[in-house]
Amino acid sequence: MTRPPHPSLPPAKFGIVDLFAGPGGLDIAATIMRDEGVESIGVEWDDATRRTRAAAGLLTTEVKDVAALDPCDPSVVQATVLTGGPPCQSFSVAGNRKGHEALDDVLCLATQLADHADAASFDAAWSKVKAKTDRMSDERTGFVLQPLRWIMEAKLKRGRPYEVVVLEQVPTVLPVWKHYVKILRRAGYAAEAHVLHSEDFGVPQARRRAVLIAQYDPENVHRKVRFPEATHQRYRKGADRLPSTHNHQDESLFPTPHSGGTLEPWVSMGDALDATRPDDFVMVSNYGSGGDPKKRGRRTSDDPAPTITGKVRRNRLFLLKEGESGVKEDGEELDRLTFEEAGLLQSFPAAYPWRSTDVAQQIGNAIPPRLSLHILSMALLREPPQDKWYTLLKEWKPEDPSPSENGTEDA
């Protein structure tokens, strides 16, 4: 797909500008929903990630820095929806003293950006806030304030507020989103924030995300905002997997729950990787164990994967075989996950064109596209995803694949 030299978001019923867009977890979901009037353009800083987006045919702004753009820029002025997952590493580690301090700072600074009646007043407040974030030891702390700046500037400077806002991050960011809910209600939005579990929605991975959904409705700011409802069983260690209620006649990897509200079983690693790993296996994670064998995470191929991070290639895989006593035990060590396999565990299509040498980090940082479908469908259309979208996501391929630029796999 040939893109113009200066990409811009075309007019659309649901035109999305996606801040800190990453490799396209949300944007791919948006392309699946195109028949509903959804278009998207992402703002992304990292050059390697931008190469992946380009190979996937995703619109990306020429300007890389979210802070250097605003809602009035010609490339994003048509947007009616704001989404984003700002980096929040500076306060995303539970129990970290500096993290708690950064969180408190962000909540205080966010309050200073609320309740401004005109652009001049907001600009004065933003100038003071930016001066404080510029002096912080970790510059990433201020990133989480950028979506709030965009929301306020769309209303006060563009004169047309975003109709829908969707923000997501790790669960420890939930206090920020809860604080934003209060601010956004005063700005005319019905808003709520909750933690969602990715396996609840058919992603073959146990991953939690704090999600904020806001819909502009100044006459009804305290109404309930509908969030996606679980379609699949939640994973719990030691729990039995539910029997399937779906006959898979369409050979879909991710079945849709049949009517009546019955949950499908969680989607396992074995389901997602059956084309490349037909035999039972066990995944052993040393990440975060400090070398202590007792802290090593273990999941069999009948389970969803643990949270996929940029360290996914450290996970070791072993054949799961039946021992002499009839008990399953570890067999020979298998090859570690490929990037394609790691992407599948994030619910990316098998044909996703990962580029450059930091692919593991790109995959680990992304929001699962399958989860994005549920969030966007409920936020924009206020109804669950259409069944056909799951098949479209699974079968997605780039329209005009560019020559391979894949980097080497880092161990």
Side-chain angles (χ1 to χ4, degrees), residues 204-360:
Q205 174 195 179
R207 185 187 193 95
R208 297 188 302 146
R209 304 303 285 180
V211 176
L212 178 150
I213 296 177
Q215 296 156 338
Y216 194 66
D217 191 357
E219 302 301 321
N220 198 12
V221 297
H222 292 289
R223 68 166 169 80
K224 182 176 179 59
V225 175
R226 291 185 62 196
F227 267 64
E229 296 182 2
T231 57
H232 290 68
Q233 174 191 10
R234 182 169 302 175
Y235 173 76
R236 290 181 175 85
K237 187 176 181 179
D240 291 330
R241 192 181 185 198
L242 294 173
S244 178
T245 62
H246 187 82
N247 61 16
H248 294 264
Q249 288 181 348
D250 61 356
E251 298 183 354
S252 171
L253 169 60
F254 304 112
T256 56
H258 71 53
S259 59
T262 303
L263 294 178
E264 280 287 333
W266 63 64
V267 178
S268 70
M269 291 188 284
D271 294 333
L273 306 182
D274 64 342
T276 55
R277 299 185 186 269
D279 298 318
D280 292 343
F281 63 87
V282 62
M283 178 184 289
V284 180
S285 172
N286 288 328
Y287 182 59
S289 69
D292 184 351
K294 294 180 180 179
K295 294 183 180 179
R296 290 174 182 163
R298 292 177 59 87
R299 300 277 179 96
T300 73
S301 49
D302 285 336
D303 299 327
T307 300
I308 299 299
T309 72
K311 310 298 184 184
V312 64
R313 288 274 295 161
R314 294 186 183 181
N315 294 341
R316 301 173 69 187
L317 286 84
F318 297 87
L319 185 68
L320 196 59
K321 64 179 185 179
E322 188 170 317
E324 294 181 1
S325 62
V327 177
K328 293 278 189 177
E329 60 183 34
D330 295 359
E332 64 182 278
E333 185 165 2
L334 305 172
D335 291 339
R336 300 195 182 189
L337 291 174
T338 66
F339 293 144
E340 177 185 312
E341 290 175 325
L344 284 169
L345 295 178
Q346 276 274 53
S347 74
F348 276 90
Y352 209 69
W354 302 105
R355 294 291 184 264
S356 196
T357 56
D358 69 341
V359 172

Side-chain angles (χ1 to χ4, degrees), residues 84-159:
C88 298
Q89 294 94 329
S90 59
F91 53 84
S92 64
V93 180
N96 182 291
R97 180 182 60 82
K98 290 185 177 180
H100 284 302
E101 291 175 356
L103 178 60
D104 291 340
D105 289 341
V106 163
L107 296 181
C108 179
L109 294 174
T111 300
Q112 297 177 37
L113 300 178
D115 305 321
H116 293 280
D118 54 60
S121 173
F122 179 82
D123 281 346
W126 176 251
S127 179
K128 294 178 181 178
V129 166
K130 187 176 185 303
K132 292 178 181 178
T133 58
D134 287 347
R135 293 195 297 269
M136 290 180 175
S137 58
D138 189 337
E139 63 180 9
R140 297 173 298 182
T141 303
F143 289 167
V144 74
L145 295 170
Q146 284 293 336
L148 189 57
R149 173 181 74 86
W150 279 65
I151 293 166
M152 296 305 176
E153 289 188 351
K155 183 178 181 181
L156 298 174
K157 295 185 177 181
R158 190 178 66 166

